Amino acid sequence: MVVLGIDIGSAQIKAGMVDEQGAIVASRTIETPAGLDGFLSSLQDGIRWLLEATELPAGVGVGCKGIIDPDSTRIEVLPGHLHFLQGLRVADLVGLPLDVPVFADNDARVALAGEMVWGAARDHSNVVMLTLGNGVGGAVLANGQLLRGHSGVAGHLGHLTVEPDGPVCVCGNRGCLETVFSARAIEGEAWAAVHRGCASALTSLFREQPQLATCRTIFQAASEGDGLAVEIVSKAIRKLGAAIAGLLHVFDPEIVIVGGKVADAGADLLVPLQEEVWARSRGLLRRQVPLVEQQVADKSGIVGAAGLVMAPRG
């Protein structure tokens, strides 16, 4: 048996057939067209190619940014380049027979679904997951159910306010978590310091083109003891740790899963983050909630989307 996983992104559509062990047996990547007609044609051509290479899937899982009604698969809110999909049903977009079930949800919940089936959330009923990239995504498993809330917005943990008078966020609020801990936030701090000419290896390397100082290079400089990089990374981790400590008191999870490209920093992020969270939460919880890395290694989103088909439902 295989299931079809699809990740709809503003730059690329990634689709693949996934077996019961979570392995991708065939995949296709398509540049995302700018309009609906081109989108439908490209997506359905890619799906036909996968069907010819494998077989009719037992189900389809689709991940996409925005707010999606999981019952109807209708895309309720989708700002940005893919706004032309807003109001449409994902089940209608894939063009498969009606007896093939189609499931859809936002990309962070899809990532957690993959962890529920093949990753760190297996055998757990209460999990918080943060996806740390250019923004901060989130998803919550509460008593064995993916938390969606009244209107499908639950789990947008990146928009938890951590600095009431902080930077303006893309959501219109100020001081959201993703304005102080995300790849863009960390890079922004470094770019400003390099632009000012602060003493740092980062300034030596990137004085002429500060925009080339990526989150990865900043974490690397911090691990090598660069004072400026250490300050930037430490401040960001303190704020993320404070936010996670608050989430522990709200959701009381068994584990917290950390994924996304910023989590590629590995122990340089997770060790000090775990210490910060534990220091801020030990009084009431009286237990150390483990922070663990995302185990589904597939970065395409295909396997997570496939997990949406196979995840248990109440």
Side-chain angles (χ1 to χ4, degrees), residues 45-283:
D45 283 350
I47 291 173
R48 278 193 292 271
W49 183 91
L50 289 168
L51 292 176
E52 292 170 1
T54 55
E55 59 186 283
L56 187 69
V60 181
V62 181
C64 185
K65 293 188 182 299
I67 299 172
I68 300 173
D69 177 3
D71 295 325
S72 67
T73 74
R74 184 178 186 270
I75 300 172
E76 303 287 355
V77 179
L78 186 56
H81 299 309
L82 295 172
H83 63 88
F84 56 83
L85 296 178
Q86 192 165 295
L88 302 179
R89 294 174 67 247
V90 172
D92 297 330
L93 302 179
V94 298
L96 288 177
L98 293 177
D99 59 345
V100 177
V102 178
F103 304 91
D105 215 324
N106 86 357
D107 50 1
R109 286 198 201 110
V110 163
L112 179 51
E115 294 297 314
M116 290 166 62
V117 179
W118 296 294
R122 282 177 298 179
D123 304 319
H124 293 293
S125 297
N126 294 279
V127 176
V128 169
M129 182 170 184
L130 290 160
T131 54
L132 308 172
N134 287 334
V136 175
V140 177
L141 182 67
N143 296 327
Q145 300 294 311
L146 281 170
L147 191 63
R148 293 187 169 90
H150 174 67
S151 57
V153 180
H156 281 72
L157 305 180
H159 297 291
L160 176 71
T161 302
V162 295
E163 288 188 350
D165 300 314
V168 176
C169 181
V170 294
C171 74
N173 187 21
R174 281 187 173 272
C176 291
L177 175 59
E178 72 174 46
T179 69
V180 298
F181 191 101
S182 63
R184 285 175 176 157
I186 292 168
E187 289 164 358
E189 288 281 329
W191 297 351
V194 169
H195 188 66
R196 292 194 300 270
C198 297
S200 167
L202 296 174
T203 302
S204 300
L205 290 169
F206 303 111
R207 184 187 301 273
E208 300 303 320
Q209 293 180 294
Q211 71 276 10
L212 297 182
T214 66
C215 191
R216 183 184 294 271
T217 61
I218 296 161
F219 267 91
Q220 180 63 35
S223 71
E224 294 170 357
D226 180 78
L228 174 65
V230 168
E231 181 179 348
I232 291 169
V233 167
S234 297
K235 182 173 75 170
I237 288 174
R238 282 197 304 274
K239 292 178 179 180
L240 177 60
I244 292 176
L247 293 171
L248 297 189
H249 291 101
V250 174
F251 296 111
D252 190 21
E254 299 157 78
I255 60 169
V256 175
I257 302 174
V258 181
K261 68 178 182 179
V262 182
D264 290 343
D268 290 336
L269 169 64
L270 289 177
V271 171
L273 182 60
Q274 180 75 80
E275 293 172 355
E276 185 74 26
V277 171
W278 175 229
R280 290 176 177 272
S281 61
R282 71 176 75 195

Side-chain angles (χ1 to χ4, degrees), residues 20-33:
E20 293 175 86
Q21 287 71 49
I24 299 174
V25 297
S27 65
R28 195 81 163 168
T29 298
I30 307 156
E31 298 302 312
T32 305

